């Protein structure tokens, strides 16, 4: 029943927000609903950890990886709502947006969360595809939130590229249906897997290529990544936390569901080689662009592409790499929340996303700066944080079977670290501009990233038993 409550609550929150005339009421509805969603999501995750899966009616099925995704979306979603309230109030005070925009933001944000929960829990691949497409439609308006020519252009680019990509994914999905006959009802993920032995191996390979390109566009694999830097840089800063920290792993999870079916037909090597190829390409291209980046929000977008590549390599290498890739998803979602929230603080203070315009931030926004720098160290894989271990585990798994690929990836990870360090040094050190007033804007703009920092530190040294059980079950499934 919990999943029904979650979806119904978020839809009702959107509808109620349409009717409300007071800003505080709209904000209150979103905070309360997202908090209840968080509690219900934890309940679902614990049930999956205990019983292996969560089923409700023929329409909803959540396995171990789905439960991890539910946790990620609910945590990042709740704190995005909390952060957005203060962030948008600051933008209103600067006359950047008005009440109508704020109202649209929370309506669309709740719809976006609804679509993500449906994508995770749908037992039917077509319904999952429709839900993923719904995430595109709801967030396209948020990308064009500021109604500037560049924002509108980014939104159209986001809408067209993702829609074309998902159309290819839909075609690939239909190819998997070709050997299913006379079911008399909706085709579920489990039914596709059970009938995988009937699927022609060549057709399975072609179908997986379409699916990988289609949903890989949503993930942001190179070369289907071109929408991502524009969308991330033009959307409100809090939305970046959800796009990178929540939507990316969900699209990845859909790919893994099809990978499982494909592997049952043609063996694991075919899908693993494709994931390794996209992984290496994504890490290499993003590293070179990060080194020369001029905009810190675009920098975070390319960091997401790089980390999607690392996850792909983990699943491609297999073995210990799968465990590390799932753990990497969790860490990445938390640290991207830190980085996008603190980038929002920088944007409010400096009114610019250009790296060259950010100087002496450590003196102007000391707590925000420390959080951003720690976020950089975490995402770069600096010990003792957990991402250091996940990268080591993934590369260790790769060296055993693909040593040359692993050394190439290690080289580009080093380039990424040097490039990121160069930009962080430029932004946070040096003399502060005389025309920028020092001081944090609000304690509530600091609380969400601090909480995610605490979560990462705890998870770097201790994984709760129920979460470890979910990760181990997900490893066995995928």
């Amino acid at each position: 029943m919990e999943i029904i409550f979650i979806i119904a609550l978020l839809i009702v929150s959107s509808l109620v927000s349409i009717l409300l005339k007071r800003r505080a009421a709209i904000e209150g509805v979103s905070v309360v609903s997202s908090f209840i969603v968080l509690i219900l999501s934890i309940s679902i995750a614990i049930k999956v950890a205990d019983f292996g899966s969560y089923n409700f009616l023929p329409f909803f099925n959540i396995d171990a990886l789905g439960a991890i995704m539910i946790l990620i979306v609910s945590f990042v979603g709740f704190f995005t709502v909390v952060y957005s309230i203060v962030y948008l109030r600051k933008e209103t005070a600067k006359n950047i947006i008005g009440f109508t925009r704020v109202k649209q933001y929370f309506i669309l944000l709740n719809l976006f969360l609804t679509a993500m929960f449906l994508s995770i829990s749908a037992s039917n691949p077509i319904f999952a595809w429709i839900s993923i497409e719904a995430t595109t439609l709801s967030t396209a308006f948020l990308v064009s939130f500021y109604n500037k020519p560049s924002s509108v252009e980014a939104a159209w680019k986001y809408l067209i590229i993702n829609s074309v990509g998902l159309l290819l994914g839909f075609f690939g999905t239909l190819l998997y249906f070709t050997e299913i006959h006379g079911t008399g009802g909706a085709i579920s993920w489990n039914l596709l897997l059970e009938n995988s032995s009937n699927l022609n191996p060549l057709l399975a390979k072609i179908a997986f290529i379409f699916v990988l390109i289609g949903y890989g566009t949503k993930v942001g694999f190179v070369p289907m990544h071109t929408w991502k830097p524009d969308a991330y840089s033009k959307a409100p800063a809090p939305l970046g936390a959800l796009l990178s920290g929540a939507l990316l792993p969900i699209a990845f999870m859909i790919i893994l569901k099809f990978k499982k079916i494909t592997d049952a037909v043609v063996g694991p090597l075919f899908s693993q080689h494709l994931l390794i190829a996209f992984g290496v390409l994504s890490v290499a291209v993003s590293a070179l662009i990060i080194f020369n980046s001029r905009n810190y929000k675009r920098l975070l977008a390319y960091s997401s592409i790089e980390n999607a590549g690392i996850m792909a390599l983990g699943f491609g290498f297999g073995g210990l790499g799968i465990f590390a890739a799932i753990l990497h998803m969790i860490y990445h979602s938390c640290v991207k929340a830190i980085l996008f929230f603190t980038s929002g603080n920088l944007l409010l203070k400096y009114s610019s996303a250009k790296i060259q315009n950010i100087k002496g931030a450590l003196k102007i926004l000391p707590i925000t700066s420390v959080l951003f720098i720690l976020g950089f160290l975490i995402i770069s894989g600096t010990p003792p944080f957990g991402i250091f271990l996940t990268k080591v585990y993934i590369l260790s798994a790769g060296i055993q079977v693909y040593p040359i690929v692993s050394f190439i990836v290690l080289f580009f990870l080093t380039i990424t670290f040097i490039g990121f360090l160069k930009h962080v040094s430029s932004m946070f050190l040096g003399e502060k501009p005389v025309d920028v007033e020092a001081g944090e804007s609000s304690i509530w703009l600091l609380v969400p990233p601090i909480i995610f920092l605490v979560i990462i530190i705890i998870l770097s040294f201790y994984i709760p038993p129920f979460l470890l059980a979910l990760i181990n079950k997900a490893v066995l499934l995928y």
Side-chain angles (χ1 to χ4, degrees), residues 120-168:
I120 297 167
S121 59
S123 61
N124 183 306
I126 296 295
F127 197 41
W129 180 87
I130 293 170
S131 303
I132 289 285
E133 183 66 38
T135 65
T136 305
L137 295 175
S138 57
T139 48
F141 290 104
L142 289 172
V143 172
S144 64
F145 185 69
Y146 297 109
N147 205 26
K148 296 177 180 176
S150 57
S151 301
V152 174
E153 182 183 341
W156 276 110
K157 189 174 180 181
Y158 170 66
L159 189 63
I160 292 170
I161 294 176
N162 275 280
S163 296
V164 172
L166 287 174
L167 195 61
L168 296 175

Coordinates of all heavy atoms in Angstrom, one line a residue, residues 120-168:
I120 N 10.4 3.6 -11.1 CA 11.0 2.6 -10.3 C 10.1 1.4 -10.0 O 10.6 0.3 -10.1 CB 11.5 3.2 -8.9 CG1 12.5 4.4 -9.2 CG2 12.1 2.2 -8.0 CD1 12.7 5.2 -7.9
S121 N 8.9 1.7 -9.7 CA 8.0 0.7 -9.2 C 7.2 -0.1 -10.3 O 6.6 -1.1 -10.0 CB 7.0 1.3 -8.2 OG 6.3 2.3 -8.7
A122 N 7.1 0.5 -11.5 CA 6.3 -0.1 -12.5 C 6.8 -1.6 -12.8 O 7.9 -1.8 -13.1 CB 6.3 0.7 -13.8
S123 N 5.8 -2.5 -12.8 CA 6.2 -3.9 -13.1 C 6.2 -4.1 -14.7 O 6.6 -5.2 -15.1 CB 5.2 -4.9 -12.5 OG 3.9 -4.6 -13.0
N124 N 5.7 -3.1 -15.4 CA 5.5 -3.2 -16.8 C 6.6 -2.4 -17.5 O 6.6 -1.2 -17.2 CB 4.1 -2.8 -17.2 CG 3.8 -3.0 -18.7 OD1 4.6 -2.4 -19.5 ND2 2.8 -3.7 -19.0
P125 N 7.4 -2.9 -18.5 CA 8.4 -2.0 -19.2 C 7.8 -0.9 -19.9 O 8.4 0.2 -20.0 CB 9.0 -3.0 -20.1 CG 8.7 -4.4 -19.6 CD 7.4 -4.3 -18.9
I126 N 6.6 -1.0 -20.5 CA 6.0 0.1 -21.2 C 5.6 1.2 -20.3 O 5.8 2.4 -20.5 CB 4.7 -0.4 -22.0 CG1 5.1 -1.4 -23.1 CG2 4.0 0.8 -22.7 CD1 6.0 -0.9 -24.2
F127 N 5.0 0.8 -19.1 CA 4.6 1.8 -18.1 C 5.8 2.5 -17.6 O 5.8 3.7 -17.3 CB 3.8 1.1 -17.0 CG 3.0 2.1 -16.2 CD1 2.4 3.1 -16.7 CD2 3.0 1.9 -14.8 CE1 1.6 4.0 -15.9 CE2 2.3 2.8 -14.0 CZ 1.6 3.9 -14.6
A128 N 6.9 1.7 -17.4 CA 8.2 2.4 -16.9 C 8.7 3.4 -18.0 O 9.1 4.5 -17.6 CB 9.2 1.3 -16.7
W129 N 8.5 3.0 -19.3 CA 9.0 3.9 -20.3 C 8.1 5.2 -20.3 O 8.6 6.3 -20.4 CB 8.8 3.3 -21.7 CG 9.2 4.1 -22.9 CD1 10.5 4.3 -23.4 CD2 8.4 5.0 -23.6 NE1 10.5 5.1 -24.4 CE2 9.2 5.6 -24.6 CE3 7.0 5.3 -23.6 CZ2 8.7 6.5 -25.5 CZ3 6.5 6.2 -24.5 CH2 7.3 6.8 -25.4
I130 N 6.8 5.0 -20.2 CA 5.9 6.2 -20.1 C 6.3 7.1 -18.9 O 6.3 8.4 -19.0 CB 4.4 5.7 -20.0 CG1 4.0 5.0 -21.3 CG2 3.5 6.9 -19.7 CD1 2.6 4.3 -21.1
S131 N 6.6 6.5 -17.8 CA 7.0 7.3 -16.6 C 8.3 8.0 -16.8 O 8.4 9.2 -16.4 CB 7.1 6.4 -15.4 OG 5.9 5.7 -15.2
I132 N 9.2 7.4 -17.5 CA 10.5 8.1 -17.8 C 10.3 9.2 -18.7 O 10.8 10.3 -18.6 CB 11.5 7.1 -18.4 CG1 12.0 6.1 -17.3 CG2 12.7 7.8 -19.0 CD1 13.0 6.6 -16.4
E133 N 9.4 9.0 -19.7 CA 9.0 10.1 -20.6 C 8.4 11.3 -19.9 O 8.6 12.4 -20.2 CB 8.1 9.6 -21.7 CG 7.7 10.6 -22.8 CD 8.9 11.1 -23.6 OE1 9.8 10.2 -23.9 OE2 9.0 12.3 -24.0
A134 N 7.5 10.9 -18.9 CA 6.9 11.9 -18.1 C 7.9 12.8 -17.3 O 7.7 14.0 -17.0 CB 5.9 11.3 -17.1
T135 N 9.0 12.2 -16.9 CA 10.0 13.0 -16.2 C 10.6 14.0 -17.1 O 10.9 15.1 -16.7 CB 11.2 12.1 -15.7 OG1 11.9 11.5 -16.8 CG2 10.7 11.0 -14.7
T136 N 10.7 13.6 -18.4 CA 11.2 14.6 -19.4 C 10.3 15.8 -19.5 O 10.7 17.0 -19.5 CB 11.4 13.9 -20.8 OG1 12.2 12.8 -20.6 CG2 12.0 14.9 -21.8
L137 N 9.0 15.5 -19.7 CA 8.0 16.5 -19.9 C 7.9 17.5 -18.7 O 7.8 18.7 -18.8 CB 6.6 15.9 -20.2 CG 6.5 15.1 -21.5 CD1 5.1 14.4 -21.6 CD2 6.7 16.0 -22.7
S138 N 7.9 16.9 -17.5 CA 7.8 17.7 -16.3 C 9.0 18.6 -16.0 O 8.9 19.7 -15.6 CB 7.5 16.9 -15.0 OG 8.5 15.9 -14.9
T139 N 10.2 18.1 -16.3 CA 11.4 18.8 -16.1 C 11.7 19.8 -17.2 O 12.5 20.7 -17.0 CB 12.6 17.9 -15.8 OG1 12.6 16.9 -16.8 CG2 12.5 17.3 -14.4
A140 N 11.2 19.6 -18.4 CA 11.5 20.5 -19.5 C 11.0 21.9 -19.1 O 11.7 22.9 -19.4 CB 10.8 20.0 -20.8
F141 N 9.9 22.0 -18.5 CA 9.4 23.3 -18.1 C 10.3 23.9 -17.0 O 10.4 25.1 -16.9 CB 7.9 23.2 -17.6 CG 7.0 22.9 -18.7 CD1 6.4 21.7 -18.9 CD2 6.6 23.9 -19.6 CE1 5.6 21.4 -19.9 CE2 5.7 23.7 -20.6 CZ 5.2 22.4 -20.8
L142 N 10.8 23.1 -16.1 CA 11.7 23.6 -15.1 C 13.1 24.0 -15.6 O 13.7 24.9 -15.1 CB 11.9 22.5 -14.0 CG 10.7 22.2 -13.1 CD1 10.9 21.0 -12.3 CD2 10.4 23.4 -12.3
V143 N 13.5 23.4 -16.7 CA 14.8 23.8 -17.4 C 14.6 25.2 -17.9 O 15.5 26.1 -17.9 CB 15.2 22.8 -18.5 CG1 16.4 23.4 -19.3 CG2 15.6 21.5 -17.8
S144 N 13.4 25.5 -18.5 CA 13.1 26.8 -19.0 C 12.5 27.8 -18.0 O 11.8 28.7 -18.3 CB 12.1 26.7 -20.2 OG 10.9 26.2 -19.8
F145 N 12.7 27.4 -16.7 CA 12.1 28.1 -15.6 C 12.3 29.7 -15.6 O 11.3 30.4 -15.3 CB 12.7 27.6 -14.3 CG 12.1 28.1 -13.0 CD1 10.8 27.7 -12.6 CD2 12.8 28.9 -12.1 CE1 10.3 28.2 -11.5 CE2 12.3 29.4 -11.0 CZ 11.0 29.0 -10.6
Y146 N 13.4 30.1 -16.0 CA 13.7 31.6 -15.9 C 13.3 32.3 -17.2 O 13.5 33.5 -17.3 CB 15.2 31.8 -15.6 CG 15.6 31.3 -14.3 CD1 16.4 30.2 -14.2 CD2 15.2 31.9 -13.1 CE1 16.8 29.7 -12.9 CE2 15.5 31.4 -11.9 CZ 16.3 30.3 -11.8 OH 16.6 29.8 -10.5
N147 N 12.8 31.5 -18.2 CA 12.2 32.1 -19.4 C 13.1 33.0 -20.1 O 12.7 34.0 -20.8 CB 10.9 32.9 -19.0 CG 9.9 32.9 -20.2 OD1 9.9 32.1 -21.0 ND2 9.1 34.0 -20.2
K148 N 14.4 32.7 -20.1 CA 15.4 33.5 -20.9 C 15.6 32.7 -22.2 O 15.3 31.5 -22.3 CB 16.7 33.6 -20.2 CG 16.6 34.4 -18.9 CD 18.0 34.4 -18.2 CE 18.0 35.2 -16.9 NZ 19.3 35.1 -16.2
P149 N 16.0 33.4 -23.3 CA 16.2 32.7 -24.6 C 17.1 31.5 -24.4 O 16.8 30.4 -25.0 CB 16.8 33.8 -25.4 CG 16.3 35.1 -24.9 CD 16.2 34.9 -23.4
S150 N 18.2 31.6 -23.6 CA 19.1 30.5 -23.5 C 18.5 29.3 -22.7 O 18.7 28.2 -23.0 CB 20.4 31.0 -22.7 OG 20.1 31.5 -21.5
S151 N 17.6 29.7 -21.7 CA 16.9 28.6 -20.9 C 15.9 27.9 -21.8 O 15.8 26.7 -21.8 CB 16.1 29.3 -19.8 OG 17.0 29.9 -18.9
V152 N 15.2 28.7 -22.6 CA 14.2 28.0 -23.5 C 14.9 27.2 -24.5 O 14.4 26.0 -24.8 CB 13.3 29.1 -24.2 CG1 12.4 28.5 -25.3 CG2 12.5 30.0 -23.2
E153 N 16.0 27.6 -25.1 CA 16.8 26.8 -26.0 C 17.2 25.5 -25.4 O 17.2 24.4 -26.0 CB 18.0 27.6 -26.5 CG 18.8 26.9 -27.6 CD 20.0 27.7 -28.0 OE1 20.0 28.9 -27.8 OE2 21.0 27.1 -28.5
A154 N 17.7 25.7 -24.1 CA 18.2 24.4 -23.4 C 17.1 23.5 -23.2 O 17.2 22.2 -23.3 CB 18.8 24.9 -22.1
A155 N 15.9 24.0 -22.9 CA 14.7 23.2 -22.6 C 14.3 22.4 -23.9 O 14.0 21.2 -23.8 CB 13.5 24.0 -22.1
W156 N 14.3 23.1 -25.0 CA 13.9 22.4 -26.3 C 15.0 21.4 -26.6 O 14.6 20.3 -27.1 CB 13.9 23.5 -27.4 CG 12.5 24.1 -27.5 CD1 12.2 25.4 -27.2 CD2 11.3 23.5 -27.9 NE1 10.9 25.7 -27.3 CE2 10.3 24.5 -27.7 CE3 10.9 22.2 -28.3 CZ2 8.9 24.2 -28.0 CZ3 9.6 22.0 -28.5 CH2 8.6 23.0 -28.4
K157 N 16.2 21.7 -26.4 CA 17.3 20.7 -26.7 C 17.1 19.5 -25.8 O 17.2 18.3 -26.3 CB 18.7 21.4 -26.4 CG 19.9 20.6 -26.9 CD 21.1 21.4 -26.7 CE 22.4 20.7 -27.1 NZ 23.6 21.5 -26.9
Y158 N 16.8 19.7 -24.5 CA 16.6 18.7 -23.6 C 15.4 17.8 -24.0 O 15.5 16.6 -24.0 CB 16.4 19.3 -22.2 CG 15.9 18.4 -21.1 CD1 16.7 17.4 -20.6 CD2 14.6 18.6 -20.6 CE1 16.2 16.6 -19.6 CE2 14.2 17.7 -19.5 CZ 15.0 16.7 -19.1 OH 14.5 15.9 -18.1
L159 N 14.3 18.5 -24.4 CA 13.1 17.8 -24.8 C 13.3 16.9 -26.0 O 12.9 15.7 -26.1 CB 12.0 18.8 -25.0 CG 10.6 18.3 -25.1 CD1 10.1 17.5 -23.9 CD2 9.6 19.4 -25.5
I160 N 13.9 17.5 -27.0 CA 14.0 16.8 -28.3 C 15.0 15.7 -28.2 O 14.7 14.5 -28.7 CB 14.5 17.8 -29.4 CG1 13.4 18.8 -29.7 CG2 14.9 17.1 -30.7 CD1 13.8 20.0 -30.6
I161 N 16.2 15.9 -27.7 CA 17.2 14.8 -27.6 C 16.7 13.7 -26.8 O 16.9 12.5 -27.1 CB 18.6 15.4 -27.1 CG1 19.1 16.4 -28.1 CG2 19.5 14.3 -26.8 CD1 20.4 17.1 -27.6
N162 N 16.1 14.0 -25.6 CA 15.7 12.9 -24.7 C 14.5 12.2 -25.3 O 14.4 10.9 -25.2 CB 15.3 13.5 -23.4 CG 16.5 13.6 -22.4 OD1 16.9 12.6 -21.8 ND2 17.0 14.8 -22.4
S163 N 13.6 12.9 -26.0 CA 12.4 12.2 -26.6 C 12.9 11.3 -27.8 O 12.3 10.2 -27.9 CB 11.4 13.3 -27.2 OG 10.9 14.0 -26.1
V164 N 13.8 11.8 -28.6 CA 14.3 10.9 -29.7 C 15.0 9.7 -29.1 O 14.8 8.6 -29.5 CB 15.3 11.7 -30.6 CG1 16.0 10.8 -31.6 CG2 14.6 12.8 -31.3
G165 N 15.8 9.9 -28.0 CA 16.5 8.8 -27.4 C 15.5 7.8 -26.8 O 15.7 6.6 -27.0
L166 N 14.5 8.3 -26.1 CA 13.5 7.4 -25.5 C 12.7 6.7 -26.6 O 12.2 5.6 -26.3 CB 12.6 8.2 -24.5 CG 13.3 8.6 -23.2 CD1 12.4 9.5 -22.4 CD2 13.7 7.3 -22.4
L167 N 12.5 7.3 -27.7 CA 11.8 6.7 -28.8 C 12.6 5.4 -29.3 O 12.0 4.4 -29.6 CB 11.6 7.7 -30.0 CG 10.6 7.3 -31.1 CD1 9.2 7.1 -30.5 CD2 10.6 8.3 -32.2
L168 N 13.9 5.6 -29.4 CA 14.8 4.4 -29.7 C 14.7 3.4 -28.6 O 14.6 2.2 -28.9 CB 16.2 4.9 -29.9 CG 16.5 5.9 -31.0 CD1 18.0 6.3 -31.0 CD2 16.2 5.2 -32.3

